[in-house]
Amino acid sequence: MIRVLALDIDGVLTDGRVLLDESGRESKFLCFRDIDAVFHARRQGLVLALVTGEDTPMVEVIARRLEISHVYRHAKDKHAAIRQLSRDLQVPLEEIAYVGDAPKDAPALAAVAWGLAPADADEKARAAARLVLRQGGGQGAVSEAVHLVLTEREKKTGPQGIPEDHLI
């Protein structure tokens, strides 16, 4: 059973775009469906984590907004970060789902029980994932991932708990 859902930020919680103003401040967009899904997942007992290659003030802003305390910043090696998350939480990789969109996410996607990639993820991430989501990054991918994980927790519906209509 999946106990931890780890999320990349750029390309998963966001659509991967960055808005820079004339003073260099950056802005990113998050989907309210995804924000609501994060809070719903936590109420259902799922542990959430952020695993990002970034180490900017925006990471802290997003972590605070989503009330996620397990944050792995500057994680250029996502596989190593996921293994560290597993050790820190004392949860085996077989009980972790990870949503990632980039080539550097591929080893982590392959290492966990449920590697999930947004619909618009890079080809390497999609190939490494157990499942390619129907929604894109920043456009409901996190909401879809939460729904799938919580469905698995309630009832096994297909191989390894993934609903049959989502299998690739």
Side-chain angles (χ1 to χ4, degrees):
M1 178 172 74
I2 301 299
R3 295 174 35 207
V4 177
L5 176 60
L7 307 167
D8 186 9
I9 294 178
D10 295 315
V12 173
L13 275 164
T14 76
D15 64 5
R17 296 183 299 161
V18 176
L19 176 66
L20 292 174
D21 70 13
E22 62 278 356
S23 63
R25 288 180 300 211
E26 75 177 44
S27 297
K28 298 181 183 196
F29 298 94
L30 293 124
C31 174
F32 266 109
R33 280 182 295 156
D34 291 342
I35 293 170
D36 289 344
V38 165
F39 284 93
H40 176 66
R42 187 176 305 100
R43 285 190 303 272
Q44 299 303 311
L46 198 60
V47 175
L48 290 118
L50 297 175
V51 179
T52 179
E54 297 296 314
D55 190 16
T56 65
M58 185 60 69
V59 173
E60 184 59 31
V61 168
I62 291 171
R64 269 197 328 265
R65 174 64 177 93
L66 298 177
E67 298 177 12
I68 295 176
S69 58
H70 305 290
V71 182
Y72 294 79
R73 296 168 181 81
H74 206 269
K76 300 304 182 185
D77 182 342
K78 301 288 185 80
H79 187 209
I82 288 291
R83 288 192 317 268
Q84 186 62 51
L85 170 68
S86 172
R87 286 189 298 274
D88 291 348
L89 297 179
Q90 298 181 344
V91 173
L93 292 172
E94 295 79 19
E95 296 179 9
I96 297 176
Y98 176 60
V99 187
D101 70 304
K104 64 185 169 206
D105 294 307
L109 290 166
V112 297
W114 282 24
L116 306 171
D120 56 351
D122 178 86
E123 183 179 320
K124 285 186 180 183
R126 291 188 343 215
R130 171 76 175 97
L131 172 70
V132 176
L133 301 165
R134 293 178 179 160
Q135 303 301 316
Q139 300 173 347
V142 172
S143 178
E144 183 180 354
V146 166
H147 172 75
L148 290 170
V149 169
L150 293 179
T151 297
E152 182 269 343
R153 287 166 61 106
E154 292 173 14
K155 173 180 147 185
K156 297 284 186 183
T157 55
Q160 307 220 348
I162 296 175
E164 291 177 6
D165 66 336
H166 277 73
L167 292 174
I168 48 178

